[in-house]
């Protein structure tokens, strides 16, 4: 029965992955096959579909089933562990890589390595040299121990097509291609690393990065969350990008650095639409919040208010499989993890935990440089701090359960939490050495 269900879901995914939205003002009304989508895309191979199936089971705390292997001569990797490791600050590492390359070639280093400020690191997707750098970056993080690579699409968006200065040079199809290339490069990097035997007998996954609306404005709005736009505008912003990324069949959709409750609502509405259109099967989804301290989002609202919205709009965890925090200081991780776990127990709604903070270094805006001596730049110390956050998961769970504040709704949290999946990694200013230290720490747990 289990094998039958696996095959049925794989066939459904193969069929539904061909359906993506037409672009336009009423995008959600028409889901059709895109004329440029190859029917036999390499992203839809059985091995990737098996991985997607297994990963979604992992996120939903189901049995860690080993996917069916189509090659009898190759033993499948072991079931997934409780903790998966995400990569680090891909964009800041790319910047460091390219600046180092410029210095080695005695080239000018004053200008940004990212040619379009509003696209940030996504601007590398415009050139072959940039794509090569992205592929190399993913390979470095995978080799360092990451299980999941996040695509360089965080700040790739359609607002650039309507920009007064640059809009005349952009069409939506240009952005479509960049988004798909972002997923493709991460896939290629994974294949390269696996074929070189540098990762051993492991599974490697791809998370399609979807940044917040504020990041697309490129004015620091993600740090305040006060956009001055409607929920409908936020919905349209996320729907178009999410739909195109889904057409490339990533393993995960990662909505990142969300600084306000209103944007959480818009994202859940997008997932509801895609769920109804049946173009979301087997794709795991997480949403990570941007927080200014241990209890508040960047816009000053309470984290518990965002969690309440998610629980009300997705009480069974069918659309949103993981929840967490990213790009906040490492100093806030433990209290935020405690807050989220407490909410899980009290609400009775359990999801995977995702946390990948930044280094905590201070940015000198006037000189456009990082302030030396601030934050945590030691990979070993950073990994140790994350170890405390991992330990806080079970400790907090047990404390809340012991107090009797256990919810009975949702997907039931009355049992122990040893099966709660955890994704841990780094954000800005964390590099492959950081991920290597995290890998070593996790392997010893």
């Amino acid at each position: 029965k289990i094998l039958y269900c696996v095959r049925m879901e794989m066939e459904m995914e193969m069929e539904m992955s061909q359906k993506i939205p037409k672009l336009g003002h009423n995008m959600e009304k028409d889901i059709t096959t895109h004329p440029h989508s190859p029917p036999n895309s390499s992203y839809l191979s059985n091995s990737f579909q098996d991985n997607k199936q297994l990963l979604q089971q992992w996120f939903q705390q189901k049995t860690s089933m080993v996917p069916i292997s189509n090659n009898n001569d190759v033993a499948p990797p072991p079931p997934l562990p409780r903790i998966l490791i995400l990569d680090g600050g891909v964009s800041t590492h790319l910047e460091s890589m390219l600046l180092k390359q410029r210095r080695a070639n005695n080239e000018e280093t004053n200008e940004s390595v990212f040619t379009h400020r509003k696209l940030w690191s996504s601007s590398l997707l415009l050139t072959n040299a940039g794509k090569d750098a992205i592929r190399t970056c993913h390979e470095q993080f995978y080799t360092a121990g990451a299980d999941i690579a996040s695509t360089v699409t965080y700040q790739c968006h359609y607002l650039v097509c309507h920009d007064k200065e640059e809009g005349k040079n952009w069409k939506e199809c240009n952005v479509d291609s960049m988004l798909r290339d972002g997923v493709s490069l991460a896939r290629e990097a994974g294949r390269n690393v696996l074929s070189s035997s540098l990762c051993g007998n492991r599974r490697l996954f791809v998370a399609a990065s979807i940044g917040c609306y504020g990041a697309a404005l490129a004015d620091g709005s993600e740090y305040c969350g006060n956009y001055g736009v409607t929920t409908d505008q936020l919905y349209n912003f996320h729907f178009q990008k999410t739909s195109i990324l889904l057409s490339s069949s990533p393993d995960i959709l990662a909505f990142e650095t969300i600084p306000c409750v209103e944007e959480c609502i818009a994202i859940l509405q997008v997932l509801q639409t895609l769920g109804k259109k049946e173009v979301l099967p087997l794709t795991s989804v997480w949403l990570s919040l941007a927080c200014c301290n241990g209890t508040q989002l960047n816009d000053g609202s309470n984290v518990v208010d965002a969690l309440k919205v998610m629980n009300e709009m997705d009480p069974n965890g069918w659309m949103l499989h993981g929840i967490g925090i990213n790009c906040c200081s490492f100093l806030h991780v433990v209290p935020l993890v405690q807050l989220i776990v407490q909410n899980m127990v009290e609400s009775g709604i359990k999801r995977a935990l995702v946390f990948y903070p930044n280094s905590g270094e201070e940015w000198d805006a006037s000189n456009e440089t990082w302030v030396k001596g601030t934050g945590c730049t030691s990979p070993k110390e950073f990994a140790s701090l994350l170890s405390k956050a991992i330990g806080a998961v079970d400790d907090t769970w047990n404390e809340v359960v012991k107090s009797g504040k256990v919810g009975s709704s949702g997907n039931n949290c009355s049992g122990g939490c040893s099966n709660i999946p955890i994704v841990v990694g780094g954000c800005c200013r964390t590099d492959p050495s950081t991920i290597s230290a995290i890998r070593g720490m996790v392997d010893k747990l």
Side-chain angles (χ1 to χ4, degrees):
K1 291 182 179 179
I2 292 175
L3 294 177
Y4 174 77
C5 291
V6 171
R7 291 191 178 102
M8 287 296 291
E9 290 198 44
M10 286 169 57
E11 291 174 2
M12 179 178 68
E13 169 68 359
M14 290 288 288
E15 177 184 354
M16 293 305 177
S17 62
Q18 302 292 329
K19 301 179 180 180
I20 63 171
K22 282 184 178 180
L23 302 179
H25 298 294
N26 298 313
M27 294 175 290
E28 72 276 11
K29 294 183 179 180
D30 192 2
I31 304 290
T32 63
T33 301
H34 194 279
H36 302 299
S37 298
N40 296 313
S41 171
S42 61
Y43 306 129
L44 302 180
S45 67
N46 288 335
S47 61
F48 288 136
Q49 296 305 310
D50 289 346
N51 268 4
K52 286 164 69 71
Q53 171 77 28
L54 183 71
L55 188 64
Q56 192 169 81
Q57 290 177 338
W58 181 86
F59 267 102
Q60 296 176 347
Q61 305 113 47
K62 296 179 181 179
T63 178
S64 294
M65 183 189 306
V66 179
I68 305 165
S69 174
N70 292 315
N71 187 345
N72 295 328
D73 297 327
V74 179
L80 297 177
R82 181 187 179 188
I83 302 173
L84 293 180
I85 298 177
L86 179 66
D87 56 19
V90 175
S91 294
T92 52
H93 181 56
L94 276 167
E95 184 177 43
S96 177
M97 281 173 53
L98 294 173
L99 284 174
K100 184 178 180 179
Q101 189 178 85
R102 283 185 178 181
R103 294 189 190 99
N105 296 333
N106 294 318
E107 296 175 353
E108 178 62 52
T109 59
N110 290 330
E111 294 184 4
S112 174
V113 296
F114 305 141
T115 55
H116 295 268
R117 185 172 180 274
K118 290 191 174 181
L119 293 173
W120 197 33
S121 56
S122 300
S123 60
L124 295 177
L125 293 165
L126 295 170
T127 66
N128 289 332
K131 292 176 184 178
D132 289 341
I134 291 172
R135 190 185 300 105
T136 298
C137 180
H138 288 318
E139 290 172 356
Q140 290 178 355
F141 276 113
Y142 274 140
T143 304
D147 301 300
I148 305 170
S150 54
T151 61
V152 185
T153 54
Y154 174 83
Q155 209 157 311
C156 184
H157 54 86
Y158 293 91
L159 295 185
V160 69
C161 300
H162 309 289
D163 186 271
K164 292 182 179 179
E165 296 179 1
E166 298 187 27
K168 61 182 179 180
N169 301 319
W170 287 86
K171 294 181 179 180
E172 290 185 341
C173 61
N174 300 138
V175 182
D176 292 351
S177 297
M178 292 172 69
L179 291 170
R180 293 193 179 100
D181 286 344
V183 177
S184 173
L185 290 167
R187 286 287 192 215
E188 290 174 17
R191 285 196 293 267
N192 292 343
V193 171
L194 288 174
S195 64
S196 67
S197 300
L198 293 176
C199 278
N201 195 23
R202 289 168 50 198
R203 291 187 181 86
L204 302 180
F205 302 100
V206 173
S209 174
I210 305 172
C212 65
Y213 181 85
L217 300 178
D219 61 0
S221 292
E222 66 267 42
Y223 299 108
C224 66
N226 300 314
Y227 303 147
V229 297
T230 65
T231 305
D232 285 345
Q233 287 174 294
L234 293 173
Y235 173 92
N236 289 332
F237 171 83
H238 283 291
F239 184 89
Q240 187 171 10
K241 180 172 179 177
T242 302
S243 301
I244 293 300
L245 284 171
L246 273 174
S247 72
S248 294
S249 195
D251 302 304
I252 304 164
L253 291 177
F255 293 93
E256 303 184 288
T257 325
I258 307 303
C260 58
V261 175
E262 200 66 28
E263 192 158 15
C264 293
I265 294 174
I267 290 169
L268 265 295
Q269 290 175 344
V270 168
L271 295 176
Q272 287 175 340
T273 299
L274 294 173
K276 291 177 182 177
K277 296 293 184 181
E278 297 185 321
V279 293
L280 200 60
L282 298 187
T283 303
S284 302
V285 182
W286 80 53
L287 188 157
S288 55
L289 302 169
C291 303
C292 58
N293 53 45
T295 61
Q296 294 177 308
L297 301 179
N298 280 354
D299 74 339
S301 58
N302 293 323
V303 171
V304 292
D305 292 334
L307 298 177
K308 182 180 178 181
V309 163
M310 296 178 209
N311 291 340
E312 289 176 348
M313 297 183 70
D314 185 31
N316 295 304
W318 291 340
M319 297 183 297
L320 192 59
H321 309 113
I323 184 172
I325 49 174
N326 82 289
C327 211
C328 68
S329 170
F330 65 92
L331 297 173
H332 305 318
V333 175
V334 171
L336 286 166
V337 165
Q338 293 171 329
L339 188 64
I340 294 172
V341 172
Q342 179 179 346
N343 179 270
M344 284 189 192
V345 181
E346 294 179 352
S347 67
I349 301 172
K350 183 164 52 177
R351 308 179 202 272
L353 271 173
V354 184
F355 46 97
Y356 46 115
N358 57 42
S359 67
E361 293 173 82
E362 297 177 9
W363 174 252
D364 182 350
S366 59
N367 295 311
E368 295 189 347
T369 186
W370 298 96
V371 180
K372 292 184 178 180
T374 61
C376 179
T377 57
S378 165
K380 187 175 181 180
E381 290 179 10
F382 190 88
S384 177
L385 290 163
L386 288 186
S387 177
K388 293 179 181 178
I390 292 172
V393 175
D394 286 2
D395 290 345
T396 303
W397 183 284
N398 293 332
E399 289 174 7
V400 180
V401 169
K402 188 176 180 179
S403 71
K405 298 178 181 180
V406 180
S408 59
S409 60
N411 53 10
N412 190 6
C413 287
S414 58
C417 70
S418 60
N419 64 335
I420 286 184
I422 296 173
V423 176
V424 61
C427 202
C428 296
R429 299 286 287 176
T430 59
D431 59 22
S433 66
T434 312
I435 300 308
S436 180
I438 295 173
R439 175 89 265 170
M441 175 270 292
V442 168
D443 286 347
K444 292 178 182 179
L445 293 178

